[in-house]
Amino acid sequence: MSRTLPVQKNEYIDVIFEDLTHDGAGVAKVDGYPLFVPNGLPGEKAKIKVLKVNKGYGFGRLIETYEKSPYRVEAPCPIYKECGGCQLQHLSYEGQLKAKEKQVRDVLERIGKLDNVIVHPVLGMNEPWRYRNKAQVPLGEQEGGLIGGFYQQRTHQIINMKECMIQQEKNDEVVQTVIDICSRYGVRAYKEGNHKGDLRHIMARHGLVTGEVMVVLITRTNDLPHKNKIIEEITSRIKGVKSIVQNVNSKKTNVIFGEQTKVLWGEEVIYDFIGDIKFAISARSFYQVNPEQTKVLYEKALEYANLSGEENVIDAYCGIGTISLFLAQRAKKVFGVEIVPEAIEDAKRNAELNGITNAEFAVGEAEVVIPKWYEQGNSADVLVVDPPRKGCDEALLNTIIDMKPKKVVYVSCNPGTLARDLRLLEDGGYKTVEVQPVDMFPQTMHCEAVALLKLK
Ligand code: SAH
């Protein structure tokens, strides 16, 4: 089989990298056959060893770089290679922004068949480190004590991580303090192998503006040894803590959260601001992890919606109502839809908290609720979608096409599904006017983008 391919397994060849994969590996082509090579950067000339050949693509290892990319830098994080949480630390930030712009443009052309769409340069951060407001740390044991860290790539081994350079410092402090406390009270780390132990994960959430902290202890069973002592010490040692929550996950699974969530101490939520709007955030709700860039993203969505105050707006996949409440300041009425009931409770509370009375929220699947609204004779002037990575359900896109809102603002965390969905909307009568990528996840390959579509 491999005889018909342009490269052979174990062969050493010279290549020029043209591109990056979605997980940050370099892409080189030999007679059109793509080879994925970790650590290769676009523009670099290198010698590689071919490790594996499949029918349509292969993998290689970087042996020697003859010509380095001008954007190559030394990754500043000491555990960058083992961790795998970041993929682009070896690329300068300028290089990262260029790569993400290219990624968006390429998929819009390749998957969306959108040839002349305007893609603006990526809006990046001034300081692209220490931005995450949420840490989710799996636990292990070392020398009889607890450690928190990450799974070494392709293993179930936990590597000790005392700090993470894309995490807000406060979260590192919270996690290390909770580990120290639990360790001293003899709490055992959950072990996947025999499904024993107490504590599976620690989650920390930090409101950047308010300084409020939530600690979530994800345990195997209801019990946590010395629970009250642990709570007491967390409250006395961690400044800003407002909420301590336990989530019980008794299943043999690598999904982090279980179904049962209860408040152990303090409030059920913490608060934070994006712009002027205050948000209540509960343990299980989705909340954007980069608050500084979230503001940039939402302002762009608001600009694209270009509201005059007369419009009815639908915000599909609204989470805790973040975009909805941003839009409500300028719209006649906003209707938010979201599948997680707790998020909708938060959304309602958030509307109230900000004195916003022209926003309504409904629980359900966007692809079920919005078609029902449409059948009942309701429509929207502007429709915003912000789906998860898999993009919008086709039933929702078809309803948008029937409903004919004048504008669609598509907020996307996955350029590939964005491109696919834009194609469907284009075929249904919309024109993609422009696309603005926003860098919500510096040092990683993830890329967020907002697209403005108008009815033709
Ligand atoms: N717009 C929000 C949330 C975006 S994340 C924000 O910016 O904060 C995507 C959201 O879609 C999540 O809250 C998720 O729970 C929700 N979701 C996932 N599938 C859904 C579906 N089929 N219908 C409605 N909401 C869905």
Side-chain angles (χ1 to χ4, degrees):
M1 172 67 107
S2 69
R3 283 188 189 288
T4 61
L5 298 173
V7 294
Q8 307 280 312
K9 188 175 165 175
N10 293 330
E11 192 182 351
Y12 288 84
I13 50 170
D14 289 346
V15 296
I16 299 179
F17 294 111
E18 301 173 13
D19 216 338
L20 289 170
T21 63
H22 67 279
D23 49 10
V27 182
K29 286 190 181 150
V30 179
D31 297 337
Y33 178 85
L35 285 159
F36 306 140
V37 183
N39 200 24
L41 289 178
E44 292 190 329
K45 285 189 188 157
K47 182 198 285 296
I48 67 165
K49 181 181 182 188
V50 179
L51 296 181
K52 189 165 191 245
V53 286
N54 294 328
K55 209 165 150 200
Y57 57 92
F59 295 93
R61 183 166 63 225
L62 192 64
I63 302 295
E64 188 188 343
T65 312
Y66 305 123
E67 252 175 61
K68 285 202 160 96
S69 162
Y71 298 116
R72 180 176 283 279
V73 291
E74 199 63 49
C77 174
I79 48 173
Y80 174 54
K81 287 210 178 87
E82 294 100 317
C83 169
C86 297
Q87 301 83 42
L88 294 181
Q89 286 197 17
H90 60 298
L91 184 58
S92 71
Y93 195 48
E94 190 190 348
Q96 292 180 24
L97 295 179
K98 280 196 201 300
K100 290 185 185 186
E101 181 183 334
K102 179 169 186 302
Q103 184 200 17
V104 171
R105 194 175 308 238
D106 286 354
V107 292
L108 290 178
E109 280 174 16
R110 198 180 72 240
I111 302 173
K113 310 275 177 267
L114 295 159
D115 288 334
N116 294 315
V117 63
I118 300 168
V119 178
H120 298 288
V122 181
L123 295 172
M125 298 185 80
N126 289 331
E127 186 47 61
W129 300 100
R130 294 289 184 187
Y131 58 84
R132 284 185 62 95
N133 59 11
K134 182 175 85 168
Q136 286 179 158
V137 178
L139 297 172
E141 290 178 5
Q142 197 174 292
E143 291 157 16
L146 292 175
I147 56 165
F150 55 89
Y151 292 103
Q152 187 174 31
Q153 290 194 64
R154 288 176 287 275
T155 72
H156 288 267
Q157 183 75 28
I158 305 268
I159 305 282
N160 195 1
M161 171 176 66
K162 296 224 160 109
E163 62 171 338
C164 167
M165 295 183 65
I166 61 169
Q167 198 56 251
Q168 290 175 15
E169 274 99 342
K170 184 69 185 182
N171 284 335
D172 282 344
E173 178 206 317
V174 170
V175 170
Q176 288 307 313
T177 308
V178 174
I179 285 174
D180 180 54
I181 295 167
C182 290
S183 228
R184 278 192 299 99
Y185 283 105
V187 171
R188 302 295 305 265
Y190 174 71
K191 274 166 240 50
E192 276 185 332
N194 58 9
H195 194 55
K196 291 226 165 77
D198 310 304
L199 194 55
R200 300 175 70 128
H201 276 79
I202 296 169
M203 174 170 122
R205 259 182 163 160
H206 175 231
L208 186 63
V209 178
T210 57
E212 295 188 0
V213 170
M214 173 182 278
V215 175
V216 185
L217 303 170
I218 298 133
T219 57
R220 181 177 62 88
T221 67
N222 236 320
D223 303 322
L224 181 67
H226 304 286
K227 198 188 264 183
N228 291 336
K229 286 262 178 12
I230 289 171
I231 293 167
E232 199 185 303
E233 224 175 284
I234 290 175
T235 58
S236 71
R237 280 178 61 182
I238 298 175
K239 199 166 156 260
V241 69
K242 287 280 182 299
S243 167
I244 304 174
V245 174
Q246 181 181 6
N247 175 274
V248 183
N249 185 358
S250 53
K251 294 208 178 113
K252 283 188 180 171
T253 168
N254 54 12
V255 174
I256 297 178
F257 283 95
E259 264 150 40
Q260 200 191 334
T261 307
K262 57 186 174 190
V263 178
L264 296 180
W265 179 89
E267 315 250 335
E268 194 190 333
V269 296
I270 57 166
Y271 295 95
D272 199 21
F273 284 88
I274 299 171
D276 296 333
I277 301 184
K278 188 175 186 182
F279 292 102
I281 308 146
S282 57
R284 301 302 316 278
S285 297
F286 175 89
Y287 185 63
Q288 297 283 0
V289 296
N290 183 336
E292 199 182 321
Q293 290 298 86
T294 299
K295 181 161 178 278
V296 174
L297 180 75
Y298 292 172
E299 273 166 0
K300 190 45 80 174
L302 191 61
E303 180 194 316
Y304 281 172
N306 191 20
L307 302 172
S308 67
E310 292 305 310
E311 296 87 352
N312 284 318
V313 181
I314 291 176
D315 178 19
Y317 311 89
C318 71
I320 61 173
T322 33
I323 297 180
S324 319
L325 299 182
F326 247 67
L327 296 166
Q329 300 167 295
R330 309 254 187 90
K332 186 162 106 196
K333 186 112 202 190
V334 178
F335 300 89
V337 188
E338 159 65 43
I339 200 168
V340 175
E342 292 87 347
I344 287 294
E345 279 168 38
D346 288 350
K348 289 179 179 164
R349 175 172 11 202
N350 289 332
E352 217 169 283
L353 201 62
N354 292 282
I356 292 172
T357 52
N358 60 336
E360 266 179 40
F361 296 96
V363 180
E365 291 170 301
E367 61 272 22
V368 174
V369 173
I370 295 171
K372 210 186 298 156
W373 281 348
Y374 179 61
E375 268 167 42
Q376 292 162 351
N378 301 307
S379 90
D381 303 295
V382 177
L383 197 142
V384 179
V385 297
D386 183 9
R389 289 186 61 75
K390 66 174 194 238
C392 293
D393 192 280
E394 223 178 298
L396 173 63
L397 296 171
N398 287 328
T399 300
I400 295 174
I401 289 165
D402 293 340
M403 189 187 269
K404 296 187 176 48
K406 288 195 270 310
K407 266 179 231 141
V408 175
V409 178
Y410 194 133
V411 182
S412 162
C413 56
N414 181 349
T417 54
L418 170 69
R420 179 200 67 199
D421 292 351
L422 292 185
R423 179 75 264 149
L424 224 136
L425 291 170
E426 290 256 342
D427 293 342
Y430 282 87
K431 165 106 193 84
T432 307
V433 181
E434 56 189 308
V435 178
Q436 175 64 67
V438 177
D439 193 21
M440 302 280 276
F441 311 100
Q443 318 307 332
T444 80
M445 269 307 282
H446 294 290
C447 185
E448 193 94 9
V450 200
L452 169 63
L453 294 98
K454 286 189 178 157
L455 198 58
K456 274 188 226 161

